[in-house]
């Protein structure tokens, strides 16, 4: 069965059990301070488990793009080495939000695997949570009793807390789980070692495929458990592992999810898969990583130097390095796989097809730049090796290469071992540990449990309509961080504060407490559907009603910039074409930033046209039309652009200014006239095919023009206030170029005169025409002069010294016949005399130069020159 069908059967099966089938959420999380990537199928639904949002559908199923490369779930180092862990993989899942529980979850899982997919029951094992004294939890008898209706009791295994108690993180929803494992070894091997003893023991053919989690607890900050208000089911099945079982192969990489990619790597790099373990690992790494990177870019996460972007860059670099070292690829090639990948997966995940060109370009650019880094690193490493006495290279030096230049340490070790050298790994690890400790200490954050004052889960955002409100704190917690000290996170029953999101910064403002005192709110963010206010302090009586006020000036400026961003987007599509797509934006109160796809630098004319387009709409004073809580389809009818990765159940908000319609949750001005004026301050490239425009509006443009005007007057002043300043500058430029030409002529004359003088100074010694002299010329002029004199004077031995910027130079010219007859060699002369100026050099027997750092040695060198012909 093809993988596409396997995926579809899963979804069809749960649809038949009354589940709503939803699309995968994005793999890259944009507005979640607790997590960078979706690492399990439950992530898009975690608000429901936390009780911070009510599910509109009680039964849901999907396949979810997951990435396990950082944080609690990190499989990166396994990937490629084993055959069943990936960085990016699909997790098939079915959910019950307070609806069915263990009985249905278990019987449906069994039905799907054994009746629909027809997996042989004798290949299956299941595990049941054995309980934990620490947590005061007993054996999961209920799950055991349910399983034994379907499966031999000796195929039910007890699992400990590590394997059979699932937790989202250090805090949060959790519960016992039951895993389903498959044993796909040959009958012969099964006879030798019973599968039961291999479950959960890292055997590549005895692997977990499905985990059924019965979510019923919440783990608190002090480590204790409390019951959740409702019981939920969260299951996750590895799609690629399921394909391995159903396609009767022994490795995920032998399924049709991966084979097209592997064939392509083989063809491009002229390596064969399945012949050599090292090469195989490299091919698996590349086939795996290209998926992770391509999906991340298609989700809008470009490789970069920080945060999630850095994680993606590291994954791609790992693939490049494996290719470089084991497949001998010295040119970019991974980008070529994107075509195959989008053919293979683009039907179910259309974002891959639509973004194919961008993904390809970005990967190619990254490959190019990292291959350059590798080249440079190899040179630096050569230098380190040359300066190493003995055969052990210092760990400190290797760490520098790794830390400052991004040169991979395993590559360093490999190259050293090829040269019969070793690396002091202890020192290297010490340096690495020191660095980790430094950054860990800076990042330590301690978060207390929420103190719940009012169990009101739905917190209302009223900030589109008002900037002030009388509110109640519903929950708060204290957070202590090394970097920022102690502060409080507050949640209100309703709030006018806009939480950071959709590129727009969070609101600032204050809480009014008694007798005119205030507590500042320094930032607002959203976490798991809660709007969290970062306050410097806690009101003395947190249960009291409080007046909260948003900083209106900052909000107004931010709103101007946000509305201007929409107009800019419209302008770019109008002026440059509809290939322009938003790739990111940052809306602050001071300025705005907009990233978009476009393949060339904008010309001055295009930039002006864009500015004019936006300013014309500002001048037309277009009123805001806002549509709240409308279904996506309605917004699309109005002309909004479809966005990928909207979460299921979401209605949308559309913002319209004339022809500009965007899906947007941000805050806007009432009329484009409020923006007053729009000015682009910079345009640049941030990645291949992605441009960035930075711009300002309103007050900021006044400052901008004021500053420019001031500079202009200063320049005019310097030019002595001409009537026409532009002409004055042109005149100056003209005058300058005339002067330059005159100087060139004069210098040539000077050199000609000098040549005559020098020829007169030549003395004949033993049949050699000899001249040694310090000259006040640059190296190029000396070279020209030496050759010109050489053309006129036979049997010439010329030695010239010069001094510039505290450095010393020697030039030696010897007529070719002298080189032969007298066995003279200019290269040797400058090498030997170069020592006197503390330097070195070389060249050919008839012409050579040397540079050194001791001008005081020039005279002696010139003096000694004579000795060569005596
Ligand atoms: P394992 O012990 O094999 O790493 P896990 O306990 O980390 O698995 P869960 O967190 O329970 O796995 O995830 C649910 C399912 O997702 C697993 O049963 C497995 O089929 C699949 N899965 C987990 N991690 C990966 C991965 N890195 N690559 C591919 N599939 C995975
Ligand atoms: Mg794991």
């Amino acid at each position: 069965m093809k993988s596409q069908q396997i995926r579809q059967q899963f979804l069809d099966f749960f649809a038949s059990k009354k589940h709503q089938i939803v699309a995968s959420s994005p793999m890259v999380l944009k507005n979640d301070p607790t997590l960078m990537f979706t690492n399990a199928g439950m992530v898009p639904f975690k608000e429901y488990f936390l009780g911070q949002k009510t599910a509109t559908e009680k039964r849901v199923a999907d396949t979810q793009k997951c990435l396990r490369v950082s944080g609690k779930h990190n499989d990166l180092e396994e990937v490629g080495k084993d055959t069943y862990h990936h960085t990016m993989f699909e997790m098939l899942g079915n959910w019950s939000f307070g609806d069915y529980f263990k009985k249905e979850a278990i019987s449906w899982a069994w039905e799907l695997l054994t009746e629909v997919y027809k997996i042989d029951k004798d290949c299956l094992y299941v595990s049941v949570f054995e309980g934990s004294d620490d947590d005061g939890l007993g054996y999961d008898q209920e799950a055991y009793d349910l399983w034994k209706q379907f499966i031999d009791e000796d195929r039910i295994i007890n699992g400990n807390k590590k394997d059979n108690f699932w937790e989202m993180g250090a805090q949060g929803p959790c519960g016992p789980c039951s895993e389903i494992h498959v044993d796909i070894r040959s009958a012969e091997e099964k006879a030798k070692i019973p599968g039961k003893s291999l479950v959960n023991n890292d055997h590549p053919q005895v692997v977990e495929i499905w985990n059924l989690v019965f979510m019923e607890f919440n783990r608190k900050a002090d480590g204790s458990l409390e019951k959740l208000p409702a019981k939920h089911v969260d299951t996750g099945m590895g799609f690629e592992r399921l394909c391995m079982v159903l396609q009767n192969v022994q490795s995920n990489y032998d399924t049709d999810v991966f084979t097209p990619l592997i064939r392509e790597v083989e063809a491009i790099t002229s390596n064969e898969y399945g012949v050599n373990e090292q090469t195989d690992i490299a091919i698996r790494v590349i086939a795996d990583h290209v998926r992770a990177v391509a999906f991340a870019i298609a989700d809008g996460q470009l490789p970069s130097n920080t945060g999630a972007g850095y994680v993606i860059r590291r994954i791609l670099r790992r693939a490049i390095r494996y290719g470089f070292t084991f497949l001998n690829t010295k040119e970019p090639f991974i980008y070529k796989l994107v075509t195959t990948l989008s053919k293979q997966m683009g039907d179910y995940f259309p974002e891959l097809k639509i973004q194919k060109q961008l993904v390809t370009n970005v990967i190619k650019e990254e490959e190019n730049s990292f291959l350059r880094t590798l080249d440079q690193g190899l040179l630096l490493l050569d230098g380190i090796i040359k300066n190493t006495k003995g055969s052990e290279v210092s760990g400190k030096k290797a760490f520098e290469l790794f830390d400052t230049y991004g040169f991979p340490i395993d590559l360093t070790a490999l190259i050293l071992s090829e040269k019969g050298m070793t690396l002091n790994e202890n020192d290297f690890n010490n340096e690495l540990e020191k660095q980790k400790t430094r950054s860990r200490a800076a990042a330590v954050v301690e978060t207390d449990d929420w103190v719940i004052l009012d169990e009101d889960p739905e917190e209302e955002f009223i900030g589109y309509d008002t900037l002030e409100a009388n509110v109640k704190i519903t929950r708060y917690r204290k957070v202590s961080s090394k970097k920022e000290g102690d502060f409080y996170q507050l949640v209100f029953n309703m709030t006018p504060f806009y939480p950071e999101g959709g590129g727009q910064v969070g609101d600032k403002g204050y809480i009014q407490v008694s007798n005119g005192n205030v507590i500042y709110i320094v930032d607002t963010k959203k976490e798991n559907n809660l709007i969290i206010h970062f306050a410097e302090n806690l009101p003395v009586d947190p249960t009291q009603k409080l007046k909260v006020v948003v900083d209106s000036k900052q909000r107004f400026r931010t709103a101007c910039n946000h509305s201007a961003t929409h107009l800019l987007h419209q302008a770019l599509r109008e002026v440059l074409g509809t290939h322009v797509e938003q790739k990111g934006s940052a809306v602050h109160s001071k300025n705005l930033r907009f990233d978009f796809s476009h393949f060339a630098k904008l010309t001055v004319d295009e930039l002006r046209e864009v500015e004019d387009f936006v300013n014309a709409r500002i001048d037309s004073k277009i009123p805001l039309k806002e549509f709240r809580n409308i279904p996506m389809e309605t917004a699309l009818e109005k002309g909004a652009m479809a966005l990928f990765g909207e979460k299921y159940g979401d209605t949308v908000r559309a913002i319209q200014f004339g022809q500009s319609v965007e899906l947007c949750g941000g805050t806007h001005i009432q009329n484009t006239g409020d923006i007053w004026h729009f000015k682009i301050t910079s345009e640049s490239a941030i990645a291949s095919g992605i441009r960035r425009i930075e711009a300002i509006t309103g007050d900021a443009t006044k400052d901008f023009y004021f500053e420019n005007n001031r500079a202009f007057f200063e320049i005019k002043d310097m030019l002595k206030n001409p009537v026409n300043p532009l002409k004055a500058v042109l005149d100056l430029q003209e005058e300058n170029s005339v002067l330059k030409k005159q100087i060139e002529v004069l210098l040539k004359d000077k050199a000609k005169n000098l040549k005559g003088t020098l020829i007169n100074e030549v003395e004949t010694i033993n049949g050699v025409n000899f001249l040694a002299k310090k000259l006040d010329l640059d190296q190029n002029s000396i070279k020209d002069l030496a050759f010109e004199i050489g053309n006129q004077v036979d049997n010439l031995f010329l030695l010239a010294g010069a001094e510039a910027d505290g450095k010393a130079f020697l030039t030696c010219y010897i007529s070719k016949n002298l080189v032969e007859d007298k066995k003279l060699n200019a290269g040797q002369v400058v090498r030997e005399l170069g020592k006197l100026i503390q330097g070195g050099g070389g060249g050919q027997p008839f012409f050579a130069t040397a540079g050194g750092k001791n001008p005081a040695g020039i005279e002696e060198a010139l003096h000694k020159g004579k000795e060569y012909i005596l």
Side-chain angles (χ1 to χ4, degrees):
M1 203 190 317
K2 288 227 182 284
S3 55
Q4 269 103 331
Q5 280 166 283
I6 295 174
R7 187 194 289 117
Q8 197 54 48
Q9 282 199 346
F10 178 89
L11 300 174
D12 292 346
F13 177 80
F14 282 102
S16 78
K17 307 286 182 203
K18 307 272 177 298
H19 286 62
Q20 162 109 355
I21 308 301
V22 302
S24 172
S25 276
M27 183 176 84
V28 182
L29 296 168
K30 276 277 141 80
N31 292 317
D32 190 333
T34 64
L35 208 58
M36 284 197 272
F37 304 103
T38 302
N39 58 14
M42 59 81 70
V43 169
F45 306 110
K46 63 185 168 138
E47 290 105 343
Y48 304 141
F49 298 123
L50 289 163
Q52 284 158 4
K53 198 172 178 183
T54 320
T56 44
E57 297 289 340
K58 297 220 171 301
R59 295 180 185 187
V60 169
D62 69 357
T63 183
Q64 171 64 45
K65 300 176 275 185
C66 295
L67 189 64
R68 292 199 166 176
V69 290
S70 56
K72 180 169 157 36
H73 293 288
N74 187 347
D75 293 334
L76 185 61
E77 285 312 313
E78 258 49 72
V79 175
K81 293 182 188 139
D82 77 14
T83 50
Y84 59 105
H85 279 97
H86 303 296
T87 52
M88 181 266 165
F89 64 100
E90 284 179 62
M91 200 186 281
L92 303 165
N94 57 294
W95 280 272
S96 150
F97 306 120
D99 187 24
Y100 63 83
F101 203 48
K102 292 183 193 176
K103 179 163 169 279
E104 293 83 349
I106 287 175
S107 70
W108 288 339
W110 190 256
E111 184 186 337
L112 176 65
L113 292 183
T114 61
E115 286 169 34
V116 178
Y117 290 137
K118 303 215 180 315
I119 298 178
D120 183 357
K121 291 175 193 168
D122 292 340
C123 289
L124 298 173
Y125 292 90
V126 302
S127 64
V128 167
F129 180 49
E130 66 182 11
S132 150
D133 290 342
D134 300 349
D135 289 320
L137 295 173
Y139 185 75
D140 191 352
Q141 192 63 42
E142 188 187 353
Y144 185 89
D145 291 340
L146 288 164
W147 279 120
K148 77 175 183 196
Q149 301 172 30
F150 302 117
I151 190 168
D152 260 9
E153 284 183 60
D154 65 77
R155 290 182 166 269
I156 306 178
I157 294 160
N158 292 343
N160 57 20
K161 183 168 158 182
K162 181 180 139 279
D163 286 321
N164 279 66
F165 194 84
W166 199 91
E167 312 211 23
M168 185 178 81
Q171 280 157 262
C174 52
C177 59
S178 255
E179 299 167 340
I180 303 172
H181 297 257
V182 289
D183 179 358
I184 52 171
R185 292 172 306 151
S186 65
E188 214 182 341
E189 280 176 74
K190 283 181 184 168
K192 271 190 242 154
I193 307 169
K196 195 170 177 175
S197 65
L198 297 176
V199 168
N200 275 334
N201 268 322
D202 298 331
H203 190 290
Q205 272 95 45
V206 185
V207 296
E208 175 191 329
I209 56 166
W210 203 348
N211 194 357
L212 316 180
V213 183
F214 313 119
M215 212 81 90
E216 52 180 325
F217 299 105
N218 179 36
R219 173 83 63 195
K220 299 183 22 171
D222 65 2
S224 65
L225 293 176
E226 66 183 4
K227 280 249 175 204
L228 288 174
K231 290 179 178 177
H232 314 282
V233 170
D234 152 24
T235 87
M237 171 150 63
F239 172 62
E240 299 77 9
R241 292 186 193 178
L242 177 65
C243 291
M244 162 174 82
V245 177
L246 298 182
Q247 295 180 356
N248 277 321
V249 289
Q250 306 281 297
S251 148
N252 287 5
Y253 294 92
D254 293 336
T255 65
D256 69 345
V257 179
F258 286 97
T259 46
L261 290 170
I262 290 181
R263 295 291 90 80
E264 190 69 13
V265 179
E266 288 182 317
I268 300 173
T269 69
S270 308
N271 282 281
E272 203 179 323
Y273 185 66
V275 175
N276 164 300
E277 182 60 10
Q278 280 294 13
T279 328
D280 286 358
I281 291 177
I283 294 177
R284 288 199 290 265
V285 163
I286 292 160
D288 174 277
H289 290 10
V290 69
R291 290 170 18 113
V293 174
F295 273 100
I297 298 172
D299 265 359
Q301 183 57 63
L302 298 175
S304 73
N305 263 341
T306 52
Y310 188 55
V311 175
I312 298 305
R313 174 166 282 170
R314 270 188 14 231
I315 299 176
L316 182 52
R317 288 185 168 185
R318 188 169 184 260
I320 300 171
R321 175 162 51 86
Y322 268 91
F324 184 88
T325 313
F326 301 111
L327 306 182
N328 208 20
T329 48
K330 310 294 180 228
E331 297 289 326
F333 75 102
I334 297 172
Y335 73 95
K336 295 182 184 161
L337 302 173
V338 176
T339 306
T340 312
L341 179 64
S342 95
K343 261 194 220 138
Q344 168 75 5
M345 302 191 74
D347 284 339
Y348 195 80
F349 299 99
E351 64 271 33
L352 265 194
K353 266 195 187 156
I354 293 170
Q355 308 268 35
K356 194 182 127 196
Q357 197 53 47
L358 174 76
V359 173
T360 307
N361 288 340
V362 171
I363 293 182
K364 187 173 179 191
E365 180 78 18
E366 283 287 310
E367 285 192 85
N368 263 322
S369 91
F370 190 54
L371 286 168
R372 277 198 298 274
T373 303
L374 288 179
D375 268 348
Q376 190 198 7
L378 289 175
L379 267 177
L380 291 170
L381 183 58
D382 255 2
I384 294 177
I385 291 173
K386 279 205 188 99
N387 290 323
T388 299
K389 296 194 182 77
S391 69
E392 189 186 68
V393 165
S394 127
K396 239 183 165 145
K397 282 258 154 37
F399 181 77
E400 211 176 278
L401 201 56
F402 162 77
D403 191 40
T404 321
Y405 301 98
F407 195 73
I409 187 62
D410 46 357
L411 199 53
T412 302
L414 187 82
I415 291 167
L416 292 181
S417 79
E418 281 168 5
K419 294 192 192 286
M421 299 179 79
T422 54
L423 168 72
N424 187 329
E425 286 189 27
N426 269 344
D427 281 1
F428 176 84
N429 289 333
N430 279 344
E431 292 297 318
L432 190 66
E433 205 39 54
K434 268 194 249 164
Q435 192 206 38
K436 277 193 184 152
T437 317
R438 277 195 301 273
S439 52
R440 230 180 279 136
V444 169
V445 176
E446 275 175 33
T447 311
D448 287 0
D449 277 329
W450 286 113
V451 176
I452 311 247
L453 301 178
D454 189 350
E455 272 296 354
D456 177 8
E458 302 278 339
E459 175 193 28
E460 199 186 344
F461 175 66
I462 52 172
Y464 294 138
D465 305 308
T466 176
L467 296 182
E468 293 184 15
N470 288 313
V471 306
K472 264 174 57 191
I473 298 178
T474 54
R475 58 169 78 191
Y476 68 85
R477 67 182 174 192
K478 187 174 166 190
V479 177
S480 319
S481 106
K482 245 228 159 95
K483 240 176 38 221
E484 285 149 40
D486 288 357
F487 57 94
Y488 286 85
Q489 296 187 335
L490 316 178
V491 177
F492 307 141
N493 59 335
M494 57 179 172
T495 180
F497 282 77
Y498 179 81
E500 180 184 311
Q504 183 180 327
V505 286
D507 275 337
K508 291 185 170 65
Y510 59 88
I511 306 172
Q512 193 121 42
V513 283
S514 56
N515 52 29
N517 286 340
V518 298
I519 295 175
Y520 286 105
I521 291 178
V522 293
D523 203 356
T524 312
K525 289 189 174 161
K526 201 165 186 172
E527 185 180 309
N528 298 326
N529 209 40
L530 289 177
I531 298 175
I532 296 180
H533 307 81
F534 292 63
E536 291 181 319
N537 233 317
L538 188 68
V540 184
D541 176 8
T543 58
Q544 218 181 20
K545 271 230 165 194
L546 303 159
K547 181 171 174 186
V548 295
V549 182
V550 174
D551 175 342
S552 58
K553 203 166 194 172
Q554 190 211 351
R555 167 68 91 77
F556 177 74
R557 287 178 173 156
T558 307
C560 286
N561 283 332
H562 203 151
S563 301
T565 305
H566 287 198
L567 297 178
L568 171 62
H569 188 192
Q570 188 196 0
L572 289 168
R573 288 174 66 87
E574 198 71 33
V575 174
L576 304 176
T578 48
H579 62 280
V580 167
E581 267 181 32
Q582 172 164 359
K583 288 289 160 230
S585 77
V587 178
H588 296 270
S589 59
K590 287 200 178 72
N591 63 352
L592 66 95
R593 205 176 73 198
F594 188 75
D595 300 339
F596 57 99
S597 46
H598 182 59
F599 293 99
K601 185 168 177 53
L602 270 69
T603 63
V604 175
D605 283 344
E606 284 168 339
L607 286 172
R608 171 159 309 161
E609 225 181 302
V610 169
E611 273 180 358
D612 288 350
F613 184 99
V614 174
N615 281 318
R617 270 140 201 84
I618 292 171
D619 294 344
S620 328
K621 300 199 173 16
I622 308 170
L624 162 73
K625 280 194 196 156
E626 185 202 2
F627 306 93
R628 285 186 207 168
N629 290 321
I630 54 169
M632 174 73 103
E633 298 71 49
T634 319
L636 296 182
E637 278 160 25
K638 292 189 184 300
M641 289 218 297
L643 291 182
F644 281 112
E646 282 298 302
K647 270 170 38 175
Y648 110 94
D650 288 350
T651 53
V652 297
R653 175 169 177 261
I655 292 294
Q656 178 171 17
F657 289 107
Q659 300 296 309
S660 152
V661 187
E662 300 219 12
L663 302 178
C664 178
T667 60
H668 289 268
I669 35 136
Q670 291 304 313
N671 187 299
T672 56
D674 296 343
I675 303 174
W676 194 70
H677 191 70
F678 169 83
K679 175 85 200 122
I680 293 175
T681 51
S682 81
E683 192 272 348
S684 59
I686 57 162
S688 153
I690 309 235
R691 313 289 310 174
R692 166 170 295 175
I693 281 185
E694 289 176 298
I696 48 178
T697 62
D699 290 351
T701 61
K702 260 185 232 174
D703 295 343
F704 177 84
Y705 286 119
F706 180 80
E707 269 306 307
N708 276 349
N709 204 39
R710 198 179 52 79
F712 174 69
F713 274 98
E714 272 177 20
I715 293 168
K716 238 172 92 172
D717 224 30
M718 272 190 210
L719 296 168
K720 309 244 175 320
N721 288 311
V723 186
N724 183 344
L726 207 61
K727 182 167 177 298
V729 173
L730 287 175
D731 287 350
L732 265 185
Q733 283 180 337
E734 173 71 28
E735 194 181 332
N736 198 352
S737 86
V738 170
L739 287 176
K740 261 193 195 146
K741 275 189 198 125
Q742 284 176 353
I743 289 174
E744 258 169 46
V745 174
L746 287 174
L747 282 178
K748 272 205 184 116
D749 271 0
K750 184 179 162 197
K752 218 188 261 163
N753 287 336
L754 188 62
K755 189 171 87 184
T757 322
L758 289 177
I759 290 176
N760 282 335
E761 284 180 28
V762 170
E763 49 180 324
T764 312
I765 306 169
N766 294 335
V768 174
N769 289 320
F770 177 77
L771 177 68
K773 195 169 167 83
K774 191 168 171 188
L775 300 173
D776 185 16
L777 289 173
D778 64 62
Q779 284 304 96
N780 270 336
S781 309
I782 291 181
K783 184 178 175 188
D784 291 345
L785 196 63
F787 279 87
E788 277 180 38
I789 298 178
N791 280 339
Q792 259 172 277
V793 181
D794 293 337
N795 296 333
L796 179 68
F797 184 116
L798 182 147
L799 185 64
E803 186 180 341
D805 299 330
K807 295 206 181 83
F809 301 96
L810 291 176
T811 302
C812 180
Y813 176 98
I814 303 177
S815 297
K816 284 204 173 132
N817 60 319
L818 282 186
V819 170
E820 277 153 32
D821 299 350
K822 302 229 163 190
K823 297 278 166 281
L824 286 170
N825 183 329
Q828 191 187 345
V829 172
V830 297
R831 259 194 304 282
E832 286 168 4
L833 299 181
K835 289 184 188 138
L836 298 170
I837 56 167
Q838 286 179 24
Q844 284 150 304
F846 63 93
F847 183 81
T849 57
K853 50 186 175 189
N854 178 30
I858 295 177
E859 283 307 332
E860 196 188 347
L862 292 176
H863 189 73
K864 283 219 159 159
K866 207 177 250 181
E867 288 174 10
Y868 286 92
I869 51 169
L870 289 178

